[in-house]
Amino acid sequence: MEKITVNASRTYDILIGSGLLKDCGKYIREVSSAKKAAVVTDDNVDRLYSEKAVKSLESEGFTVVKFVFPHGEHSKSHETLLNLYEFLAENDITRTDLLIALGGGVVGDLTGFAAASFLRGVEFVQIPTSLLAQVDSSVGGKTAVNIRAGKNLVGAFNQPILVIADTDTLDTLTEEFFADGMGEVVKYGMIRSEKLFDLLMKGNAKTNIAEIIKQCVEIKRDVVQHDEHDTGERMILNFGHTLGHAIEKYYNYEGITHGNGVAIGMAVISGIAEKKGLVAKGVTEKLISCLKANGLPYQTEIPKEKLFELSLNDKKRASSKIRIVLCPEIGKWEIKTLTIDEYKDFLTK
Ligand SMILES: NC(=O)c1ccc[n+]([C@@H]2O[C@H](COP(=O)([O-])OP(=O)(O)OC[C@H]3O[C@@H](n4cnc5c(N)ncnc54)[C@H](O)[C@@H]3O)[C@@H](O)[C@H]2O)c1
């Protein structure tokens, strides 16, 4: 088992390894004296993993209650959140009890926000079960729900007291969701680690997954420790996301996953920047090889003008300027601030 410690507004450990779920109660008991634990999960994950988690929690003396909601992004809503608050109240969850997010990023974001707001704050543990949640969303304390106006618009920074990433849970993930997480994994290599990138070039991520997750988590931990509240450097985690979100929006968030959008977004922005001499020669070709090796797409037929328009609504746009992340070399990042006109020229000329 690997243990990575995060020193943010709260200090907590991230445990990564095989077979951790069956002992989750023991690890949680080491950091919590709560009497009750409310396990929050979606229907897919509930079917696969709740029993194991609940058994382990009960064996450590936790009284367990369980809230299950339908899987999918549409559940990251105020409706689910309100139902969860009512459930917690009906089950007499107090401020000294504990919430446990068992699932992917949707479960983690929703539970983390409920934990930040219910009774003005209850501690919570993340047990991420998707690759995206293990390398990204369970680390760093961003929690949120969606509203009609957009994704993640209501949320809080709220660090968990522990993260337990059991890599065995990834065995049941669909290929689509595995590849989705790999988009973010390649991003970590691009922005911060040539060593990770080289490992990913081999294209057999599943055989090295614990090591890959560890390296991603260490990178995210370092970035979060420098900029927990996302006022500067944390933005580098958005490499490929400005165009990625535009591509997702173009397809109305259907038929393209977030990780695929990010993969294309990284390749397109890198290709444009390389032509303009802002990225070293050959970086984009290597990036594309790495994306291909991991079953990810790298090109789009969407016209550049359309990508420009769609990315302008992106929340990374600050007033009349837009900040974009480039990787001048593999493992190195740079943030460029452009006026909207400069950004249009950058993308389309
Ligand atoms: N908080 C952050 O910093 C942060 C960062 C990135 C993404 N996010 C958020 O994360 C969410 C996406 O996360 P996600 O991709 O994990 O989505 P998700 O939670 O919807 O999980 C994806 C699918 O996989 C299923 N699943 C999860 N674990 C499984 C397992 N072990 N076996 C079989 N099926 C499993 C789920 O039921 C779901 O159908 C988005 O809402 C996004 O905004 C948050």
Side-chain angles (χ1 to χ4, degrees), residues 154-184:
V154 179
F157 287 98
N158 185 26
Q159 304 291 345
I161 59 168
L162 181 68
V163 180
I164 304 171
D166 182 342
T167 52
D168 293 349
T169 61
L170 303 179
D171 293 346
T172 51
L173 212 55
T174 61
E175 285 301 319
E176 187 195 22
F177 280 115
F178 189 85
D180 203 45
M182 284 307 295
E184 299 288 352

PDB file of all heavy atoms in Angstrom, residues 154-184:
ATOM      1  N   VAL A 154     -22.131  25.419  -7.810  1.00  0.00           N
ATOM      2  CA  VAL A 154     -22.360  25.594  -6.366  1.00  0.00           C
ATOM      3  C   VAL A 154     -21.520  24.560  -5.633  1.00  0.00           C
ATOM      4  O   VAL A 154     -21.698  23.355  -5.823  1.00  0.00           O
ATOM      5  CB  VAL A 154     -23.852  25.393  -6.020  1.00  0.00           C
ATOM      6  CG1 VAL A 154     -24.074  25.543  -4.517  1.00  0.00           C
ATOM      7  CG2 VAL A 154     -24.711  26.397  -6.780  1.00  0.00           C
ATOM      8  N   GLY A 155     -20.576  25.036  -4.833  1.00  0.00           N
ATOM      9  CA  GLY A 155     -19.711  24.070  -4.168  1.00  0.00           C
ATOM     10  C   GLY A 155     -18.904  24.694  -3.054  1.00  0.00           C
ATOM     11  O   GLY A 155     -19.154  25.826  -2.642  1.00  0.00           O
ATOM     12  N   ALA A 156     -17.938  23.944  -2.581  1.00  0.00           N
ATOM     13  CA  ALA A 156     -17.095  24.424  -1.485  1.00  0.00           C
ATOM     14  C   ALA A 156     -15.751  23.720  -1.558  1.00  0.00           C
ATOM     15  O   ALA A 156     -15.656  22.617  -2.100  1.00  0.00           O
ATOM     16  CB  ALA A 156     -17.764  24.098  -0.147  1.00  0.00           C
ATOM     17  N   PHE A 157     -14.737  24.370  -1.019  1.00  0.00           N
ATOM     18  CA  PHE A 157     -13.477  23.669  -0.803  1.00  0.00           C
ATOM     19  C   PHE A 157     -13.633  22.930   0.513  1.00  0.00           C
ATOM     20  O   PHE A 157     -13.916  23.548   1.545  1.00  0.00           O
ATOM     21  CB  PHE A 157     -12.315  24.666  -0.722  1.00  0.00           C
ATOM     22  CG  PHE A 157     -11.964  25.267  -2.060  1.00  0.00           C
ATOM     23  CD1 PHE A 157     -12.436  26.511  -2.430  1.00  0.00           C
ATOM     24  CD2 PHE A 157     -11.162  24.571  -2.948  1.00  0.00           C
ATOM     25  CE1 PHE A 157     -12.116  27.063  -3.667  1.00  0.00           C
ATOM     26  CE2 PHE A 157     -10.834  25.105  -4.181  1.00  0.00           C
ATOM     27  CZ  PHE A 157     -11.314  26.355  -4.548  1.00  0.00           C
ATOM     28  N   ASN A 158     -13.512  21.658   0.483  1.00  0.00           N
ATOM     29  CA  ASN A 158     -13.709  20.864   1.701  1.00  0.00           C
ATOM     30  C   ASN A 158     -12.842  19.609   1.608  1.00  0.00           C
ATOM     31  O   ASN A 158     -13.112  18.731   0.800  1.00  0.00           O
ATOM     32  CB  ASN A 158     -15.191  20.477   1.830  1.00  0.00           C
ATOM     33  CG  ASN A 158     -15.488  19.754   3.125  1.00  0.00           C
ATOM     34  OD1 ASN A 158     -14.792  19.932   4.127  1.00  0.00           O
ATOM     35  ND2 ASN A 158     -16.521  18.927   3.125  1.00  0.00           N
ATOM     36  N   GLN A 159     -11.786  19.577   2.404  1.00  0.00           N
ATOM     37  CA  GLN A 159     -10.872  18.433   2.327  1.00  0.00           C
ATOM     38  C   GLN A 159     -11.432  17.255   3.132  1.00  0.00           C
ATOM     39  O   GLN A 159     -11.969  17.444   4.216  1.00  0.00           O
ATOM     40  CB  GLN A 159      -9.490  18.820   2.898  1.00  0.00           C
ATOM     41  CG  GLN A 159      -8.842  20.029   2.242  1.00  0.00           C
ATOM     42  CD  GLN A 159      -8.390  19.776   0.801  1.00  0.00           C
ATOM     43  OE1 GLN A 159      -8.292  18.633   0.348  1.00  0.00           O
ATOM     44  NE2 GLN A 159      -8.106  20.846   0.076  1.00  0.00           N
ATOM     45  N   PRO A 160     -11.283  16.039   2.614  1.00  0.00           N
ATOM     46  CA  PRO A 160     -11.708  14.853   3.378  1.00  0.00           C
ATOM     47  C   PRO A 160     -10.732  14.590   4.529  1.00  0.00           C
ATOM     48  O   PRO A 160      -9.671  15.229   4.594  1.00  0.00           O
ATOM     49  CB  PRO A 160     -11.619  13.730   2.337  1.00  0.00           C
ATOM     50  CG  PRO A 160     -10.564  14.193   1.377  1.00  0.00           C
ATOM     51  CD  PRO A 160     -10.647  15.694   1.332  1.00  0.00           C
ATOM     52  N   ILE A 161     -11.072  13.662   5.423  1.00  0.00           N
ATOM     53  CA  ILE A 161     -10.119  13.309   6.479  1.00  0.00           C
ATOM     54  C   ILE A 161      -9.265  12.111   6.055  1.00  0.00           C
ATOM     55  O   ILE A 161      -8.250  11.818   6.676  1.00  0.00           O
ATOM     56  CB  ILE A 161     -10.808  13.025   7.840  1.00  0.00           C
ATOM     57  CG1 ILE A 161     -11.823  11.881   7.729  1.00  0.00           C
ATOM     58  CG2 ILE A 161     -11.487  14.284   8.373  1.00  0.00           C
ATOM     59  CD1 ILE A 161     -12.296  11.374   9.094  1.00  0.00           C
ATOM     60  N   LEU A 162      -9.679  11.441   4.984  1.00  0.00           N
ATOM     61  CA  LEU A 162      -8.924  10.281   4.484  1.00  0.00           C
ATOM     62  C   LEU A 162      -9.434   9.937   3.083  1.00  0.00           C
ATOM     63  O   LEU A 162     -10.623  10.113   2.800  1.00  0.00           O
ATOM     64  CB  LEU A 162      -9.171   9.076   5.425  1.00  0.00           C
ATOM     65  CG  LEU A 162      -8.462   7.765   5.110  1.00  0.00           C
ATOM     66  CD1 LEU A 162      -6.943   7.896   5.319  1.00  0.00           C
ATOM     67  CD2 LEU A 162      -8.991   6.620   5.997  1.00  0.00           C
ATOM     68  N   VAL A 163      -8.532   9.465   2.239  1.00  0.00           N
ATOM     69  CA  VAL A 163      -8.934   8.946   0.917  1.00  0.00           C
ATOM     70  C   VAL A 163      -8.415   7.513   0.821  1.00  0.00           C
ATOM     71  O   VAL A 163      -7.236   7.259   1.115  1.00  0.00           O
ATOM     72  CB  VAL A 163      -8.331   9.791  -0.232  1.00  0.00           C
ATOM     73  CG1 VAL A 163      -8.767   9.237  -1.593  1.00  0.00           C
ATOM     74  CG2 VAL A 163      -8.722  11.269  -0.106  1.00  0.00           C
ATOM     75  N   ILE A 164      -9.299   6.593   0.444  1.00  0.00           N
ATOM     76  CA  ILE A 164      -8.883   5.191   0.293  1.00  0.00           C
ATOM     77  C   ILE A 164      -9.155   4.771  -1.150  1.00  0.00           C
ATOM     78  O   ILE A 164     -10.316   4.617  -1.553  1.00  0.00           O
ATOM     79  CB  ILE A 164      -9.677   4.271   1.263  1.00  0.00           C
ATOM     80  CG1 ILE A 164      -9.530   4.738   2.716  1.00  0.00           C
ATOM     81  CG2 ILE A 164      -9.218   2.812   1.115  1.00  0.00           C
ATOM     82  CD1 ILE A 164     -10.453   4.009   3.698  1.00  0.00           C
ATOM     83  N   ALA A 165      -8.089   4.606  -1.915  1.00  0.00           N
ATOM     84  CA  ALA A 165      -8.239   4.222  -3.325  1.00  0.00           C
ATOM     85  C   ALA A 165      -7.850   2.759  -3.496  1.00  0.00           C
ATOM     86  O   ALA A 165      -6.660   2.422  -3.529  1.00  0.00           O
ATOM     87  CB  ALA A 165      -7.363   5.119  -4.202  1.00  0.00           C
ATOM     88  N   ASP A 166      -8.859   1.901  -3.550  1.00  0.00           N
ATOM     89  CA  ASP A 166      -8.616   0.469  -3.757  1.00  0.00           C
ATOM     90  C   ASP A 166      -8.561   0.222  -5.262  1.00  0.00           C
ATOM     91  O   ASP A 166      -9.581   0.306  -5.957  1.00  0.00           O
ATOM     92  CB  ASP A 166      -9.751  -0.341  -3.107  1.00  0.00           C
ATOM     93  CG  ASP A 166      -9.530  -1.849  -3.244  1.00  0.00           C
ATOM     94  OD1 ASP A 166      -8.714  -2.266  -4.099  1.00  0.00           O
ATOM     95  OD2 ASP A 166     -10.180  -2.605  -2.498  1.00  0.00           O
ATOM     96  N   THR A 167      -7.375  -0.083  -5.771  1.00  0.00           N
ATOM     97  CA  THR A 167      -7.207  -0.216  -7.225  1.00  0.00           C
ATOM     98  C   THR A 167      -7.969  -1.419  -7.792  1.00  0.00           C
ATOM     99  O   THR A 167      -8.249  -1.457  -8.986  1.00  0.00           O
ATOM    100  CB  THR A 167      -5.707  -0.323  -7.578  1.00  0.00           C
ATOM    101  OG1 THR A 167      -5.126  -1.362  -6.768  1.00  0.00           O
ATOM    102  CG2 THR A 167      -4.980   0.976  -7.294  1.00  0.00           C
ATOM    103  N   ASP A 168      -8.336  -2.383  -6.951  1.00  0.00           N
ATOM    104  CA  ASP A 168      -9.111  -3.532  -7.451  1.00  0.00           C
ATOM    105  C   ASP A 168     -10.477  -3.104  -7.972  1.00  0.00           C
ATOM    106  O   ASP A 168     -11.055  -3.772  -8.836  1.00  0.00           O
ATOM    107  CB  ASP A 168      -9.342  -4.572  -6.332  1.00  0.00           C
ATOM    108  CG  ASP A 168      -8.040  -5.234  -5.902  1.00  0.00           C
ATOM    109  OD1 ASP A 168      -7.024  -5.041  -6.599  1.00  0.00           O
ATOM    110  OD2 ASP A 168      -8.055  -5.914  -4.863  1.00  0.00           O
ATOM    111  N   THR A 169     -11.006  -2.002  -7.434  1.00  0.00           N
ATOM    112  CA  THR A 169     -12.350  -1.592  -7.872  1.00  0.00           C
ATOM    113  C   THR A 169     -12.346  -1.201  -9.353  1.00  0.00           C
ATOM    114  O   THR A 169     -13.386  -1.241 -10.009  1.00  0.00           O
ATOM    115  CB  THR A 169     -12.895  -0.407  -7.035  1.00  0.00           C
ATOM    116  OG1 THR A 169     -12.015   0.717  -7.188  1.00  0.00           O
ATOM    117  CG2 THR A 169     -13.030  -0.761  -5.573  1.00  0.00           C
ATOM    118  N   LEU A 170     -11.167  -0.865  -9.883  1.00  0.00           N
ATOM    119  CA  LEU A 170     -11.107  -0.438 -11.291  1.00  0.00           C
ATOM    120  C   LEU A 170     -11.375  -1.606 -12.244  1.00  0.00           C
ATOM    121  O   LEU A 170     -11.686  -1.390 -13.411  1.00  0.00           O
ATOM    122  CB  LEU A 170      -9.734   0.185 -11.596  1.00  0.00           C
ATOM    123  CG  LEU A 170      -9.365   1.379 -10.702  1.00  0.00           C
ATOM    124  CD1 LEU A 170      -7.989   1.905 -11.069  1.00  0.00           C
ATOM    125  CD2 LEU A 170     -10.405   2.478 -10.805  1.00  0.00           C
ATOM    126  N   ASP A 171     -11.280  -2.843 -11.722  1.00  0.00           N
ATOM    127  CA  ASP A 171     -11.509  -4.017 -12.586  1.00  0.00           C
ATOM    128  C   ASP A 171     -12.928  -4.043 -13.151  1.00  0.00           C
ATOM    129  O   ASP A 171     -13.169  -4.658 -14.189  1.00  0.00           O
ATOM    130  CB  ASP A 171     -11.269  -5.321 -11.793  1.00  0.00           C
ATOM    131  CG  ASP A 171      -9.809  -5.475 -11.416  1.00  0.00           C
ATOM    132  OD1 ASP A 171      -8.968  -4.745 -11.978  1.00  0.00           O
ATOM    133  OD2 ASP A 171      -9.519  -6.310 -10.533  1.00  0.00           O
ATOM    134  N   THR A 172     -13.866  -3.432 -12.451  1.00  0.00           N
ATOM    135  CA  THR A 172     -15.258  -3.496 -12.910  1.00  0.00           C
ATOM    136  C   THR A 172     -15.671  -2.253 -13.710  1.00  0.00           C
ATOM    137  O   THR A 172     -16.810  -2.162 -14.164  1.00  0.00           O
ATOM    138  CB  THR A 172     -16.223  -3.658 -11.708  1.00  0.00           C
ATOM    139  OG1 THR A 172     -15.911  -2.643 -10.740  1.00  0.00           O
ATOM    140  CG2 THR A 172     -16.093  -5.027 -11.070  1.00  0.00           C
ATOM    141  N   LEU A 173     -14.736  -1.341 -13.865  1.00  0.00           N
ATOM    142  CA  LEU A 173     -15.039  -0.114 -14.613  1.00  0.00           C
ATOM    143  C   LEU A 173     -15.153  -0.440 -16.104  1.00  0.00           C
ATOM    144  O   LEU A 173     -14.370  -1.238 -16.608  1.00  0.00           O
ATOM    145  CB  LEU A 173     -13.872   0.856 -14.386  1.00  0.00           C
ATOM    146  CG  LEU A 173     -14.133   2.348 -14.363  1.00  0.00           C
ATOM    147  CD1 LEU A 173     -15.196   2.713 -13.346  1.00  0.00           C
ATOM    148  CD2 LEU A 173     -12.829   3.084 -14.043  1.00  0.00           C
ATOM    149  N   THR A 174     -16.074   0.195 -16.803  1.00  0.00           N
ATOM    150  CA  THR A 174     -16.172  -0.062 -18.257  1.00  0.00           C
ATOM    151  C   THR A 174     -14.923   0.514 -18.944  1.00  0.00           C
ATOM    152  O   THR A 174     -14.281   1.427 -18.418  1.00  0.00           O
ATOM    153  CB  THR A 174     -17.405   0.631 -18.865  1.00  0.00           C
ATOM    154  OG1 THR A 174     -17.268   2.042 -18.661  1.00  0.00           O
ATOM    155  CG2 THR A 174     -18.705   0.155 -18.237  1.00  0.00           C
ATOM    156  N   GLU A 175     -14.624  -0.001 -20.138  1.00  0.00           N
ATOM    157  CA  GLU A 175     -13.475   0.507 -20.913  1.00  0.00           C
ATOM    158  C   GLU A 175     -13.631   2.011 -21.133  1.00  0.00           C
ATOM    159  O   GLU A 175     -12.656   2.765 -21.095  1.00  0.00           O
ATOM    160  CB  GLU A 175     -13.388  -0.203 -22.273  1.00  0.00           C
ATOM    161  CG  GLU A 175     -12.859  -1.621 -22.190  1.00  0.00           C
ATOM    162  CD  GLU A 175     -11.454  -1.723 -21.578  1.00  0.00           C
ATOM    163  OE1 GLU A 175     -10.605  -0.878 -21.907  1.00  0.00           O
ATOM    164  OE2 GLU A 175     -11.221  -2.632 -20.766  1.00  0.00           O
ATOM    165  N   GLU A 176     -14.861   2.429 -21.372  1.00  0.00           N
ATOM    166  CA  GLU A 176     -15.130   3.847 -21.654  1.00  0.00           C
ATOM    167  C   GLU A 176     -14.723   4.718 -20.464  1.00  0.00           C
ATOM    168  O   GLU A 176     -14.017   5.711 -20.623  1.00  0.00           O
ATOM    169  CB  GLU A 176     -16.630   4.007 -21.938  1.00  0.00           C
ATOM    170  CG  GLU A 176     -17.011   5.374 -22.410  1.00  0.00           C
ATOM    171  CD  GLU A 176     -18.520   5.600 -22.338  1.00  0.00           C
ATOM    172  OE1 GLU A 176     -19.207   4.897 -21.560  1.00  0.00           O
ATOM    173  OE2 GLU A 176     -18.980   6.505 -23.045  1.00  0.00           O
ATOM    174  N   PHE A 177     -15.115   4.313 -19.274  1.00  0.00           N
ATOM    175  CA  PHE A 177     -14.778   5.131 -18.103  1.00  0.00           C
ATOM    176  C   PHE A 177     -13.307   4.979 -17.719  1.00  0.00           C
ATOM    177  O   PHE A 177     -12.722   5.896 -17.160  1.00  0.00           O
ATOM    178  CB  PHE A 177     -15.708   4.828 -16.926  1.00  0.00           C
ATOM    179  CG  PHE A 177     -17.034   5.535 -17.066  1.00  0.00           C
ATOM    180  CD1 PHE A 177     -18.211   4.823 -17.240  1.00  0.00           C
ATOM    181  CD2 PHE A 177     -17.094   6.920 -17.065  1.00  0.00           C
ATOM    182  CE1 PHE A 177     -19.425   5.481 -17.400  1.00  0.00           C
ATOM    183  CE2 PHE A 177     -18.295   7.583 -17.231  1.00  0.00           C
ATOM    184  CZ  PHE A 177     -19.469   6.865 -17.398  1.00  0.00           C
ATOM    185  N   PHE A 178     -12.711   3.822 -18.051  1.00  0.00           N
ATOM    186  CA  PHE A 178     -11.275   3.692 -17.790  1.00  0.00           C
ATOM    187  C   PHE A 178     -10.512   4.673 -18.684  1.00  0.00           C
ATOM    188  O   PHE A 178      -9.652   5.438 -18.221  1.00  0.00           O
ATOM    189  CB  PHE A 178     -10.800   2.247 -18.026  1.00  0.00           C
ATOM    190  CG  PHE A 178      -9.389   2.040 -17.549  1.00  0.00           C
ATOM    191  CD1 PHE A 178      -9.135   1.727 -16.219  1.00  0.00           C
ATOM    192  CD2 PHE A 178      -8.320   2.205 -18.414  1.00  0.00           C
ATOM    193  CE1 PHE A 178      -7.828   1.574 -15.759  1.00  0.00           C
ATOM    194  CE2 PHE A 178      -7.006   2.055 -17.970  1.00  0.00           C
ATOM    195  CZ  PHE A 178      -6.769   1.740 -16.632  1.00  0.00           C
ATOM    196  N   ALA A 179     -10.850   4.676 -19.984  1.00  0.00           N
ATOM    197  CA  ALA A 179     -10.177   5.580 -20.926  1.00  0.00           C
ATOM    198  C   ALA A 179     -10.409   7.037 -20.521  1.00  0.00           C
ATOM    199  O   ALA A 179      -9.521   7.886 -20.661  1.00  0.00           O
ATOM    200  CB  ALA A 179     -10.679   5.337 -22.346  1.00  0.00           C
ATOM    201  N   ASP A 180     -11.605   7.308 -20.012  1.00  0.00           N
ATOM    202  CA  ASP A 180     -11.938   8.653 -19.561  1.00  0.00           C
ATOM    203  C   ASP A 180     -10.925   9.141 -18.515  1.00  0.00           C
ATOM    204  O   ASP A 180     -10.386  10.242 -18.607  1.00  0.00           O
ATOM    205  CB  ASP A 180     -13.338   8.602 -18.930  1.00  0.00           C
ATOM    206  CG  ASP A 180     -13.988   9.948 -18.939  1.00  0.00           C
ATOM    207  OD1 ASP A 180     -13.916  10.620 -19.978  1.00  0.00           O
ATOM    208  OD2 ASP A 180     -14.543  10.338 -17.895  1.00  0.00           O
ATOM    209  N   GLY A 181     -10.655   8.283 -17.547  1.00  0.00           N
ATOM    210  CA  GLY A 181      -9.666   8.621 -16.513  1.00  0.00           C
ATOM    211  C   GLY A 181      -8.272   8.763 -17.106  1.00  0.00           C
ATOM    212  O   GLY A 181      -7.481   9.603 -16.676  1.00  0.00           O
ATOM    213  N   MET A 182      -7.979   7.970 -18.144  1.00  0.00           N
ATOM    214  CA  MET A 182      -6.639   8.025 -18.750  1.00  0.00           C
ATOM    215  C   MET A 182      -6.363   9.384 -19.406  1.00  0.00           C
ATOM    216  O   MET A 182      -5.213   9.811 -19.510  1.00  0.00           O
ATOM    217  CB  MET A 182      -6.453   6.897 -19.778  1.00  0.00           C
ATOM    218  CG  MET A 182      -6.211   5.525 -19.173  1.00  0.00           C
ATOM    219  SD  MET A 182      -4.865   5.462 -17.970  1.00  0.00           S
ATOM    220  CE  MET A 182      -3.447   5.839 -18.992  1.00  0.00           C
ATOM    221  N   GLY A 183      -7.426  10.055 -19.866  1.00  0.00           N
ATOM    222  CA  GLY A 183      -7.241  11.403 -20.429  1.00  0.00           C
ATOM    223  C   GLY A 183      -6.582  12.310 -19.391  1.00  0.00           C
ATOM    224  O   GLY A 183      -5.620  13.037 -19.679  1.00  0.00           O
ATOM    225  N   GLU A 184      -7.075  12.236 -18.162  1.00  0.00           N
ATOM    226  CA  GLU A 184      -6.504  13.066 -17.085  1.00  0.00           C
ATOM    227  C   GLU A 184      -5.102  12.572 -16.712  1.00  0.00           C
ATOM    228  O   GLU A 184      -4.220  13.364 -16.376  1.00  0.00           O
ATOM    229  CB  GLU A 184      -7.410  13.047 -15.843  1.00  0.00           C
ATOM    230  CG  GLU A 184      -8.818  13.590 -16.053  1.00  0.00           C
ATOM    231  CD  GLU A 184      -8.864  15.111 -16.235  1.00  0.00           C
ATOM    232  OE1 GLU A 184      -7.845  15.798 -16.052  1.00  0.00           O
ATOM    233  OE2 GLU A 184      -9.960  15.603 -16.600  1.00  0.00           O
TER     234      GLU A 184
END
